[in-house]
Amino acid sequence: MTTSYPPASTSPPPIAQVGPVAWMRKNLFNSWFNSILTILLVWLLGSTVINFVRWAFSLAQWEVIPANLPLYFVGRFPASQYWRVWVLVALLAALAGQTWGILAKAAPRLFSRPVLIGLAIAALTAVIFPTPPLYRLLILGVVLLVAASAWIGWQIGSKTPGFGKWLALAWAIALPIALWLLLGGFGLRPVNINDWGGMLLTVFVSVISILLSFPLGILLALGRQSTLPVIRWLSTAYIEVVRGLPLLSILFFASVMVPLFIPGNIRLNLVIRAIIGLTLFTAAYLAETIRGGLQSIPRGQTEASRALGLSTPLTLGLIILPQALKVSIPAIVGLFISLLQDTTLLLIIGLFELLGISRAILANPQFIGRYAEVYLFIGLIFWVLCYAMSWGSRKLEQSLNTTH
Amino acid sequence: MTHSSDGTEKIPFWRDDRVWRIIIQLVVLGVVVLIGSILLGNMFRNLAQLGRQFDFGFLRNQAGFNIGETIVPYQTNDRYWWALVVGFLNTLRLILVGFVLATVIGVLAGIASFSDNWLLRKLNVFYVEIVRNVPLLLQLFFWIFVVFYSLAPQRSLNDPPTPLLGKGFINKAGLFIPWPANNAGDWLALLGVVLGAIAAFFIWRWRIKLMETAGASGKTQQWILIGLAIAGLLVLLFGMEWETPALGENNRITGGLRISLEYAAVLAGLSFYTGAFIAEIVRAGIQSVSKGQWEAARALGLHTGLAMQLVVLPQALRVIIPSLNSQYQNLAKNSTLALAIGYPDFFSTFQTTQNQTGRAVEMILILMAVYLIINLAITTLMNLLNRAVQLKER
């Protein structure tokens, strides 16, 4: 090398820079290029924000949101039966709080500062959201219920280690109770599933689809890994064909073709057909996710369980699958997020889920042209749901991280 | 266990693994065939009740519906099969341009996440988190109803259109942007630019090779490349006869290229959506290159840009390209959502055809074939690309 080295420096080390000015010099104006970029971005961002605020507070007509709140959340569910939805929400809030508490049992403090801020924001939203006073109280109650049951779950979880299993059972029991509350019968007034809409339909369809696709997805994943050629080919063909097709074509298949496949005298509800379509679709993606989990389990695990004398079904059920499913939890949550977003496509086959009901509201002459307000509101709901799920899955991944 | 007289062990067939393997496969196959035949039997019975039979002959009937925008001539009295071809070409036009735009957005956003500008990094996170957590269909509605319709607020086509950066216009009929006037000279200029680009590619490869093997500075080649780029830009800007859209009488717009608002909205939505996913892939790819590679490159005296170009990016590409494949496939599949905002892509012509003819079975077979072929083509091309950047191990 011909470059001459500078003489050994005798100057003191640079002083650690603190303070906003130093921070800005370091992070925003450290070169001429970055300075130009920063100024450009600030100008762009500033004008966008100013325009948005001006629009939001002077031009936007937000009354389209509070005027249609029941439609957004439960569709045309009969108003006299709303209490059933509230009972369900309370039940789920209590269970979710318990689960959160149990999962966070290792944490030194349950209500750390970000959690407290989150709860405060939720409570504040409940108070300032323009709903009847009764509903504000109810939302506030739900937030409190989550916090309280989380605290109880945290207390129990740190004392009795086996409590998690009972919680899984509680979730399993909650499902039929939820169906009973929503559909009626057995003493409750029956509600037609066609009257469900909005967020109720979105969440219901995605939860049921992912639950139904689980067994099918596990079978397909095992089938694709199988040493039996016929089973492997059948599973692979199914997975690859379904993954190669757009979801819209699967939904089209479900709404148009499924009636052809069943005996002519049975008529299937459109919601059920949509669930069939989403289940067939999700199972293929779930199968690939679980296959990834299966592949991550070292061969030694199979060999060890064989050496212990376990048969193939027992090896799979007791040794391989539990580990594989645990590994694929983050990916499964990702799948659930995309399924929740994909339910918006149901509007194309004529169901009034969250986005479909917005289109219906926008078709009302009273609210015509209020696109920005309605879509921002719906977008915020989806964003909060999906972001919360991905955040939760990251946390879960950290707490389950048992490196081999 | 039975023992034969000569002492060798004979396994009874019900404990023989090989027999069970065959039996299990036969049972599974039997169940699948049984379910399939029940479903198909139902289908044929239902079709017979509706008075239809399996036949592709209907494709030669007159379509009788209109397609809003086409790149090849189409009339309402053309055949169904031609309508499907027209829709397919619209889909191709959407996804090919979408691939380019999504890649550009994604790579820029992915690299921006490594910027030392704090504001740019935060904006990038904001973009990715928003786009990935909001349904694509909602984003498409947002693009067309909130962005493009509010840019074109006029009531009727006779109102004056909104000017666009002084060069184009936007109104309900679409975006009007400058475009070459389609003269012979333009084609010649374009040919020159393409030849220049090919030459630049080879010079670039030559430069990399020289720098890697001979340790040359690559300055000469760099100047040639810069010269070529300037020449290409000059030819594009001044050598071609750009035709800017102009306002005629009755506020009619003449000249330039018209892009329908539906196409623009689907394209923007798909590109920004897929771009966010590509950004994450690019970021993960660059992060996957170990820090030591950066440090080694810096120790060899390469500055950041060159280290990125010569050392990090080629290795990151190995991680990036396989995931890009599935993003491109997703873009192709998501392009069917164009139906919801009225761009006549393949799926939309497919659905109109199916509604008019009622031929669900035949049409779903065509649909499956078309999308599986599109996906196969993408995978094949991406695998070729992958082979080019793969780690060559002996």
Side-chain angles (χ1 to χ4, degrees):
Chain A
M1 287 276 239
T2 53
T3 42
S4 58
Y5 288 95
S9 160
T10 50
S11 56
I15 306 152
Q17 291 181 317
V18 283
V21 176
W23 180 88
M24 274 170 72
R25 281 190 80 126
K26 183 170 172 285
N27 289 300
L28 296 176
F29 301 102
N30 55 359
S31 67
W32 62 268
F33 177 73
N34 267 341
S35 305
I36 294 174
L37 201 64
T38 303
I39 291 165
L40 214 71
L41 287 176
V42 166
W43 175 74
L44 205 72
L45 208 62
S47 61
T48 313
V49 169
I50 288 170
N51 277 331
F52 178 77
V53 168
R54 193 180 294 151
W55 171 82
F57 286 100
S58 62
L59 288 170
Q61 297 171 15
W62 292 105
E63 65 269 25
V64 60
I65 311 292
N68 294 298
L69 269 188
L71 281 178
Y72 282 120
F73 285 99
V74 290
R76 290 189 303 267
F77 203 86
S80 61
Q81 306 295 314
Y82 283 166
W83 62 271
R84 280 152 62 172
V85 182
W86 280 110
V87 170
L88 179 61
V89 168
L91 179 73
L92 293 181
L95 273 176
Q98 287 270 322
T99 314
W100 170 30
I102 299 274
L103 283 175
K105 64 173 181 274
R109 280 177 58 210
L110 181 63
F111 298 113
S112 56
R113 206 195 310 166
V115 172
L116 278 180
I117 292 173
L119 283 176
I121 290 175
L124 197 68
T125 319
V127 174
I128 60 172
F129 207 69
T131 50
L134 175 66
Y135 286 0
R136 293 184 201 204
L137 275 180
L138 283 170
I139 302 174
L140 208 60
V142 168
V143 174
L144 283 176
L145 188 62
V146 170
S149 56
W151 190 77
I152 295 171
W154 184 61
Q155 288 288 328
I156 298 175
S158 49
K159 285 180 187 112
T160 42
F163 195 69
K165 290 202 182 85
W166 291 103
L167 209 58
L169 187 70
W171 275 108
I173 296 172
L175 185 71
I177 295 178
L179 280 179
W180 172 60
L181 279 174
L182 293 176
L183 280 172
F186 302 107
L188 286 178
R189 198 183 115 191
V191 175
N192 193 333
I193 200 166
N194 291 331
D195 288 340
W196 298 13
M199 198 146 114
L200 175 65
L201 189 64
T202 297
V203 172
F204 174 78
V205 166
S206 37
V207 168
I208 296 291
S209 304
I210 199 123
L211 285 180
L212 289 181
S213 62
F214 237 94
L216 190 58
I218 290 177
L219 281 182
L220 284 169
L222 290 174
R224 195 165 186 176
Q225 295 283 80
S226 166
T227 51
L228 310 175
V230 172
I231 295 175
R232 193 171 63 238
W233 292 333
L234 286 172
S235 315
T236 311
Y238 177 83
I239 293 171
E240 290 304 329
V241 167
V242 171
R243 276 161 41 96
L245 292 175
L247 174 56
L248 215 48
S249 68
I250 310 261
L251 286 179
F252 167 83
F253 175 85
S255 71
V256 177
M257 297 283 283
V258 164
L260 286 179
F261 280 131
I262 57 173
N265 47 7
I266 304 175
R267 293 199 60 78
L268 278 185
N269 189 289
L270 190 57
V271 176
I272 295 171
R273 277 183 270 160
I275 289 176
I276 292 177
L278 283 174
T279 305
L280 292 176
F281 177 78
T282 313
Y285 284 81
L286 198 62
E288 285 297 89
T289 303
I290 294 172
R291 182 166 77 113
L294 287 173
Q295 280 175 347
S296 76
I297 308 301
R299 264 181 75 88
Q301 298 279 331
T302 316
E303 288 161 1
S305 78
R306 281 310 176 95
L308 286 173
L310 295 183
S311 65
T312 309
L314 284 180
T315 307
L316 282 176
L318 295 178
I319 312 288
I320 306 297
L321 266 182
Q323 298 186 63
L325 288 179
K326 198 177 93 175
V327 171
S328 31
I329 282 177
I332 290 173
V333 176
L335 210 57
F336 195 84
I337 293 174
S338 61
L339 179 68
L340 189 78
Q341 298 186 3
D342 284 342
T343 51
T344 49
L345 304 198
L346 296 185
L347 84 90
I348 294 174
I349 61 169
L351 284 178
F352 290 103
E353 46 64 63
L354 210 37
L355 192 54
I357 208 99
S358 316
R359 304 246 319 154
I361 291 167
L362 286 168
N364 180 346
Q366 201 186 339
F367 304 114
I368 225 146
R370 305 264 68 86
Y371 297 111
E373 293 88 340
V374 168
Y375 289 147
L376 277 176
F377 177 64
I378 300 289
L380 190 69
I381 292 181
F382 271 109
W383 187 84
V384 168
L385 285 178
C386 296
Y387 190 78
M389 272 199 279
S390 69
W391 183 82
S393 116
R394 274 202 297 275
K395 288 280 153 195
L396 196 63
E397 198 179 349
Q398 284 163 12
S399 71
L400 286 178
N401 189 10
T402 46
T403 38
H404 301 291
Chain B
M1 201 156 291
T2 49
H3 288 268
S4 53
S5 53
D6 58 351
T8 57
E9 221 174 277
K10 191 163 177 1
I11 307 169
F13 75 90
W14 66 86
R15 304 198 56 170
D16 188 341
D17 212 23
R18 287 165 297 178
V19 177
W20 274 112
R21 287 167 64 95
I22 294 172
I23 290 177
I24 290 175
Q25 297 191 41
L26 284 178
V27 168
V28 169
L29 198 64
V31 169
V32 170
V33 169
L34 186 72
I35 294 175
S37 58
I38 291 176
L39 294 181
L40 284 180
N42 280 334
M43 188 186 87
F44 284 119
R45 209 168 308 126
N46 286 331
L47 284 180
Q49 253 175 15
L50 295 169
R52 294 191 209 132
Q53 52 200 359
F54 190 78
D55 175 19
F56 283 98
F58 72 95
L59 287 175
R60 282 193 297 274
N61 297 346
Q62 278 196 359
F65 59 86
N66 193 26
I67 297 182
E69 51 182 310
T70 61
I71 33 181
V72 285
Y74 171 83
Q75 264 106 41
T76 39
N77 53 5
D78 277 332
R79 311 287 171 205
Y80 277 121
W81 69 268
W82 183 243
L84 289 174
V85 169
V86 170
F88 179 72
L89 290 176
N90 278 345
T91 287
L92 276 190
R93 174 176 139 192
L94 184 61
I95 60 181
L96 291 180
V97 181
F99 287 163
V100 176
L101 283 182
T103 314
V104 170
I105 294 172
V107 169
L108 286 182
I111 291 177
S113 61
F114 289 95
S115 163
D116 44 10
N117 191 319
W118 179 85
L119 201 57
L120 189 61
R121 277 203 313 271
K122 288 293 156 201
L123 270 178
N124 190 52
V125 172
F126 185 71
Y127 158 59
V128 170
E129 290 293 348
I130 293 280
V131 165
R132 281 158 51 111
N133 287 316
V134 172
L136 174 59
L137 191 56
L138 179 55
Q139 293 183 37
L140 291 184
F141 284 158
F142 197 86
W143 277 104
I144 187 141
F145 291 120
V146 179
V147 177
F148 284 111
Y149 279 7
S150 69
L151 279 175
Q154 78 209 96
R155 290 273 169 269
S156 80
L157 281 177
N158 289 330
D159 292 345
T162 318
L164 210 63
L165 301 172
K167 283 286 179 198
F169 295 103
I170 177 171
N171 68 8
K172 285 273 186 281
L175 283 159
F176 295 82
I177 55 167
W179 198 250
N182 200 13
N183 295 331
D186 286 345
W187 288 104
L188 225 68
L190 206 62
L191 189 72
V193 170
V194 169
L195 286 179
I198 294 172
F201 175 71
F202 281 106
I203 293 172
W204 179 72
R205 296 240 326 231
W206 180 41
R207 169 169 181 254
I208 299 267
K209 205 170 171 198
L210 272 182
M211 287 163 82
E212 280 177 350
T213 55
S217 70
K219 273 277 183 301
T220 331
Q221 288 83 5
Q222 197 177 8
W223 285 116
I224 300 178
L225 281 178
I226 292 173
L228 273 175
I230 292 173
L233 207 62
L234 287 179
V235 169
L236 278 182
L237 280 181
F238 302 108
M240 299 176 90
E241 284 177 53
W242 287 92
E243 198 181 72
T244 40
L247 265 188
E249 54 191 272
N250 279 343
N251 287 316
R252 294 239 173 268
I253 301 164
T254 49
L257 179 74
R258 183 184 84 94
I259 302 171
S260 74
L261 292 185
E262 289 81 17
Y263 179 72
V266 187
L267 194 61
L270 281 178
S271 310
F272 277 101
Y273 184 76
T274 316
F277 287 87
I278 294 180
E280 287 295 277
I281 290 170
V282 169
R283 188 169 68 91
I286 293 176
Q287 263 172 358
S288 76
V289 178
S290 69
K291 237 176 120 75
Q293 297 280 335
W294 277 105
E295 287 162 359
R298 299 305 289 268
L300 286 173
L302 298 176
H303 61 77
T304 315
L306 274 181
M308 183 75 152
Q309 188 192 341
L310 295 176
V311 179
V312 177
L313 213 53
Q315 300 185 65
L317 274 181
R318 286 182 197 132
V319 179
I320 292 171
I321 285 186
S323 324
L324 268 190
N325 183 3
S326 59
Q327 286 314 319
Y328 288 154
Q329 294 198 9
N330 281 346
L331 194 152
K333 285 187 277 177
N334 284 335
S335 72
T336 50
L337 298 193
L339 162 82
I341 62 172
Y343 175 70
D345 75 327
F346 176 75
F347 195 84
S348 140
T349 47
F350 155 83
Q351 216 194 14
T352 315
T353 309
Q354 198 278 328
N355 280 341
Q356 286 191 1
T357 60
R359 301 286 188 155
V361 188
E362 294 89 338
M363 290 305 290
I364 198 109
L365 287 177
I366 296 176
L367 180 75
M368 283 170 76
V370 164
Y371 280 98
L372 291 180
I373 288 171
I374 292 180
N375 279 316
L376 203 65
I378 296 171
T379 309
T380 315
L381 283 177
M382 292 304 285
N383 282 344
L384 282 178
L385 193 60
N386 193 29
R387 207 165 301 151
V389 299
Q390 234 166 25
L391 200 60
K392 308 275 190 310
E393 279 179 311
R394 273 163 268 276

